[in-house]
Amino acid sequence: MSDFLPRIVGFLCNWCSYAGADLAGVSRLKMPPALIPIRVMCSSRVDPLFVLRAFLGGADAVLIAGCHPGDCHYQSGNYYTRRRFALLQRIFQELGLEVDRLRLAWIAASEGVRFKKVVTEYTDRIKKLGPNPVKKEIFL
Amino acid sequence: MKAIRINQPFNESLRELLRSLLEKGKVGAVFALTRIGSGYSYTLITDPKLLDQITPIDPYMPVGGGKMLSRLTMIEPLTQPIAAVIRPCELRSLYELVKLEQANLDNLLIISLTCPGVRPIRGLATDRGETLRECCQICDRFIPEKSDLTLLCAGEDGNVSTILINTEQGERFLEGLPFDYVEAELKVPEGLKESRKKKRQETFSRLKPEDLGMEGLINIFGRCIGCHACGRACPICYCNLCYFDSEESESHPKELATDLELKGALRLPTNTIFYHLGRMIHVSLSCVGCGMCSDVCPVEIPVGTIFTRIAESGQKLFDYIPGRDLEEKLPTSTFKIEELKDLGEA
């Protein structure tokens, strides 16, 4: 299992986290190639259905990244994201689904290093968890 | 509390009240449950002569009354007053629909009742006796929230009807009508709330997270035929075009091929678990626990039971009771800056 490379679907907000990822890239920071980035205009654009679809489609984890609270390009989008994420987490817990496979992270445009840290740490954590068992569920 | 008393059984009393309202021109129409042939339906009645046919207190809920009132008021508010007899969960769903901008309360006189519960509509076609819906058996919110008038029904013997006047609007509508005013208090049978709560705990304890998981969900929804009737019947699920009925949710051939390659099989119709999880996330904060979804499920999946169980936990997260208060915002349409501080930081 040591050569298992998770596939993490990452929803990155255009203004902070995507720029943070870009900065990590141009700074040539090294990190595991596990994250599949999807750029969204705001983390609050992420309908929980997107997350479910990725999760049920066999993604090993789903990361939502946005601007730090107070820094949203649209003033308050990420506060809504935060509530929705809390609800999603709660529903996963109550249904006995693996809540560790969902993650929310605030990453600013200047935080290339933090982006690298989040991706590296989360990849390690998912490696320990192993592949998403949903992948093996045929009759979803 | 001010009330009117009518010395007749519930249905007859309400008919009398509604007939007075209609004949005196206080309301232009009446919205109430009506026995039609072998079944029941909600009807909107303007002719006082037809009021003989309404059976507002009969224990059936063919569709969500809140959803029907939303249909009547969605495009424009009512131009003339309507008196509507609906149950507490229907009223809560109506309030949620108002918050979701799908309904309007203008010109609506709400008559509700302390609700003993309703029976599955399927019971009319089979001889399944008089058992209440499971969602009714575990409902502890059977007292209506802020209705204009409340009929005391649960636990009453049904020979005399007491109708509480809760609002100024209620009082205004009754002005000049020939009814006896009395003083009465809101009362419900002793121990009913407790026994319902106990039953709720028992029922929910059969749906513990550790017993669920993906396996558990596949097991519960193993019978699902993907008809989406639960969503159609749900008072909160209001989207005209549901994502799950849209072209967007159709599987692209390439996607199907990938799935088949990975798994060697595919369940059809697709997206069974996705649909139910998606609905849980989209509507559970506003779920009023009416049980319409269970009632219409052709394969008898206890959709409503699992939904109320999940909904309760989500609602607790935001200390939110759907339909409790119109002023209370939907949790996902508002936020507090100082909350959930640890999310996203690690």
Side-chain angles (χ1 to χ4, degrees):
Chain A
M1 199 43 79
S2 58
D3 56 349
F4 161 61
L5 179 69
R7 275 172 169 253
I8 302 173
V9 173
F11 293 99
L12 311 178
C13 105
N14 179 54
W15 305 99
C16 292
S17 308
Y18 196 86
D22 203 33
L23 180 61
V26 293
S27 314
R28 298 186 168 257
L29 301 178
K30 226 175 168 163
M31 66 194 102
L35 191 92
I36 301 160
I38 298 174
R39 178 155 67 163
V40 287
M41 287 311 283
C42 178
S43 59
S44 64
R45 174 64 184 89
V46 181
D47 184 326
L49 288 190
F50 299 173
V51 178
L52 284 178
R53 187 162 174 171
F55 178 78
L56 295 172
D60 295 303
V62 182
L63 170 76
I64 301 170
C67 311
H68 285 273
D71 291 348
C72 177
H73 185 76
Y74 307 101
Q75 313 285 348
S76 53
N78 49 3
Y79 291 120
Y80 295 107
T81 309
R82 193 166 65 178
R83 280 205 156 194
R84 267 188 228 154
F85 189 81
L87 177 65
L88 192 59
Q89 258 188 338
R90 174 61 65 93
I91 288 178
F92 261 57
Q93 279 160 356
E94 294 296 323
L95 289 171
L97 301 175
E98 288 178 290
V99 76
D100 285 351
R101 295 190 188 273
L102 310 178
R103 165 126 205 232
L104 178 69
W106 309 131
I107 302 169
S110 59
E111 291 180 325
V113 175
R114 175 164 159 77
F115 181 82
K116 172 202 153 136
K117 188 170 157 258
V118 166
V119 171
T120 312
E121 282 178 6
Y122 199 34
T123 307
D124 286 347
R125 184 130 137 252
I126 301 301
K127 268 188 181 165
K128 283 195 192 98
L129 271 180
N132 186 354
V134 169
K135 271 188 248 201
K136 293 218 180 72
E137 298 289 357
I138 299 166
F139 300 116
L140 279 175
Chain B
M1 187 182 283
K2 217 168 160 188
I4 55 172
R5 184 155 291 159
I6 304 174
N7 286 317
Q8 285 192 62
F10 303 138
N11 272 335
E12 284 76 5
S13 303
L14 282 182
R15 270 181 220 141
E16 198 172 316
L17 171 66
L18 292 164
R19 181 173 291 117
S20 291
L21 285 166
L22 205 51
E23 283 175 348
K24 287 261 160 47
K26 299 261 182 180
V27 298
V30 163
F31 172 98
L33 188 69
T34 305
R35 173 116 207 175
I36 296 179
S38 62
Y40 285 92
S41 183
Y42 279 105
T43 53
L44 192 60
I45 292 178
T46 51
D47 182 350
K49 285 199 290 289
L50 297 174
L51 283 180
D52 286 341
Q53 299 185 29
I54 66 167
T55 52
I57 305 304
D58 281 11
Y60 292 99
M61 190 188 291
V63 290
K67 193 168 198 166
M68 292 307 105
L69 288 171
S70 132
R71 288 217 175 150
L72 288 177
T73 60
M74 186 183 346
I75 293 172
E76 267 181 27
L78 297 170
T79 48
Q80 55 175 355
I82 284 183
V85 188
I86 52 175
R87 290 176 183 270
C89 58
E90 295 174 301
L91 179 55
R92 291 198 299 277
S93 71
L94 179 61
Y95 287 158
E96 288 302 290
L97 288 165
V98 170
K99 292 183 201 176
L100 291 160
E101 299 180 21
Q102 302 299 312
N104 191 299
L105 294 177
D106 290 358
N107 271 336
L108 207 50
L109 175 73
I110 302 283
I111 304 171
S112 195
L113 55 143
T114 54
C115 180
V118 299
R119 299 171 198 157
I121 198 81
R122 194 173 281 121
L124 291 167
T126 57
D127 52 352
R128 276 205 218 158
E130 308 197 337
T131 331
L132 295 181
R133 280 183 182 174
E134 189 169 45
C135 281
C136 295
Q137 292 177 34
I138 63 172
C139 168
D140 57 1
R141 304 196 75 83
F142 46 83
I143 299 169
E145 315 270 351
K146 304 185 180 71
S147 53
D148 294 309
L149 306 174
T150 302
L151 170 74
L152 295 184
C153 184
E156 300 289 305
D157 62 15
N159 297 321
V160 174
S161 306
T162 310
I163 300 166
L164 304 177
I165 306 167
N166 301 320
T167 62
E168 272 178 33
Q169 169 162 286
E171 203 156 338
R172 210 169 54 241
F173 272 90
L174 292 181
E175 249 169 46
L177 298 187
F179 293 110
D180 296 332
Y181 286 91
V182 292
E183 276 297 312
E185 287 311 313
L186 180 70
K187 94 176 176 281
V188 287
E190 210 172 310
L192 183 60
K193 192 152 191 149
E194 290 68 28
S195 65
R196 292 268 183 92
K197 270 204 170 123
K198 196 167 155 245
K199 174 103 186 174
R200 194 176 175 92
Q201 292 314 324
E202 281 168 18
T203 309
F204 287 174
S205 70
R206 293 199 299 270
L207 293 166
K208 286 198 291 285
E210 53 270 33
D211 301 336
L212 288 166
M214 198 49 79
E215 297 284 342
L217 285 174
I218 292 172
N219 184 33
I220 290 175
F221 294 109
R223 288 204 295 277
C224 179
I225 56 170
C227 68
H228 296 184
C230 43
R232 297 285 299 172
C234 174
I236 306 301
C237 236
Y238 66 82
C239 296
N240 260 334
L241 180 57
C242 172
Y243 166 82
F244 292 99
D245 295 324
S246 72
E247 198 189 333
E248 200 188 328
S249 82
E250 291 297 336
S251 304
H252 195 276
K254 257 190 193 160
E255 220 175 302
L256 294 182
T258 315
D259 260 19
L260 278 171
E261 202 176 307
L262 286 171
K263 296 181 176 177
L266 191 63
R267 178 175 180 174
L268 294 169
T270 54
N271 290 341
T272 304
I273 299 294
F274 188 21
Y275 172 73
H276 292 287
L277 280 181
R279 246 173 58 72
M280 273 179 212
I281 282 167
H282 272 180
V283 309
S284 67
L285 283 173
S286 291
C287 174
V288 295
C290 63
M292 277 311 305
C293 47
S294 295
D295 214 40
V296 298
C297 181
V299 290
E300 304 191 24
I301 298 167
V303 191
T305 314
I306 181 153
F307 261 70
T308 39
R309 150 91 175 71
I310 299 305
E312 189 182 75
S313 64
Q315 290 161 7
K316 271 190 185 149
L317 181 66
F318 299 109
D319 188 23
Y320 182 73
I321 307 274
R324 171 172 59 183
D325 187 351
L326 269 174
E327 300 304 314
E328 221 172 354
K329 283 194 170 165
L330 290 166
T332 42
S333 69
T334 182
F335 61 85
K336 289 187 194 117
I337 290 174
E338 303 295 322
E339 66 175 1
L340 306 167
K341 285 262 183 185
D342 48 336
L343 278 185
E345 292 300 344

